Each structure stands twice: as structure tokens, then as C-alpha cells.
């Protein structure tokens, strides 16, 4: 997966555990809930700023570390690819947790 491995290698170099939550932003899912074959962004969320400085990764310029306000996240894992169809299929699990 083109998005996953640059991020995985980044956290591996920084000794950040793979337990870091992964955020996948499917913009079209947020708009209509149906989804389509649009590009998505993927982020690994640092638990604290001490895990590394903000900026572009020196070894892989595709990876950027951005400071954002602290947030609480709910992470639900599922198997399969990062397609919008697979995400929509598993969205019910997340919605159940939120209830």
C-alpha cells in the first residue's frame, strides 16, 4: 500500500510502536456517506509531541509531521484494504461503538 509503508517506516525509524492509531480520511465519505473511488489521506497519530518534531521526514519527503490540537480518538480495526467500499462496509462497527 503506497500510503501505509512510508508512514510505517517513519514510525519504525523513530521507535514509535505500531499501536499508534491510523487515521484514514476519505473526503467523499464525510460528504455523502456513500463513497466513491476518490483518493484518501492516511495519518499515524502520535500520542505525544515528544515522539518527534513537526516537519518533513528527512528520509522520506512524502511524510510530513503536523502538530494538531489534542484529541480523543476511537480506533476500530478491520482487515482488508483501505478502499472506500471496505471502509463503508465496516463503518457500522464504529457507529455501534459511538452509541
Amino acid at each position: 500500500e503506497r500510503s501505509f509503508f512510508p508512514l510505517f517506516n517513519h514510525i519504525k525509524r523513530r521507535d514509535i510502536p505500531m499501536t499508534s492509531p491510523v487515521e484514514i480520511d476519505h473526503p467523499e465519505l464525510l460528504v455523502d456517506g456513500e463513497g466513491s473511488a476518490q483518493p484518501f489521506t492516511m495519518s499515524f497519530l502520535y500520542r505525544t509531541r515528544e515522539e518527534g518534531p513537526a516537519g518533513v521526514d528527512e528520509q522520506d519527503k512524502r511524510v510530513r509531521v503536523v502538530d494538531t490540537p489534542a484529541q480523543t480518538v476511537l480506533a476500530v480495526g478491520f482487515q482488508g484494504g483501505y478502499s472506500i467500499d471496505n471502509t463503508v462496509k465496516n463503518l457500522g462497527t464504529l457507529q455501534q461503538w459511538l452509541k
Side-chain angles (χ1 to χ4, degrees):
E1 306 276 340
R2 285 183 278 167
S3 299
F4 176 81
F5 284 107
L7 295 172
F8 174 74
N9 290 329
H10 170 80
I11 66 169
K12 188 175 170 183
R13 284 191 299 275
R14 292 197 174 179
D15 290 324
I16 298 170
M18 189 51 220
T19 57
S20 174
V22 177
E23 177 182 73
I24 299 175
D25 181 8
H26 284 288
E28 69 285 357
L29 180 61
L30 300 175
V31 173
D32 62 18
E34 293 298 320
S36 62
Q38 299 295 318
F40 62 88
T41 59
M42 178 183 285
S43 305
F44 284 15
L45 305 179
Y46 283 19
R47 295 185 187 278
T48 67
R49 288 192 169 130
E50 287 73 35
E51 290 185 306
V56 176
D57 184 293
E58 290 297 320
Q59 293 183 350
D60 189 336
K61 304 294 185 204
R62 297 172 293 178
V63 176
R64 289 182 304 125
V65 177
V66 179
D67 282 337
T68 60
Q71 59 184 311
T72 300
V73 300
L74 171 63
V76 178
F78 57 86
Q79 293 183 334
Y82 304 114
S83 71
I84 189 68
D85 292 334
N86 199 29
T87 301
V88 169
K89 183 177 85 174
N90 289 281
L91 193 57
T93 303
L94 178 63
Q95 291 167 335
Q96 287 299 317
W97 273 93
L98 288 171
K99 287 180 183 177

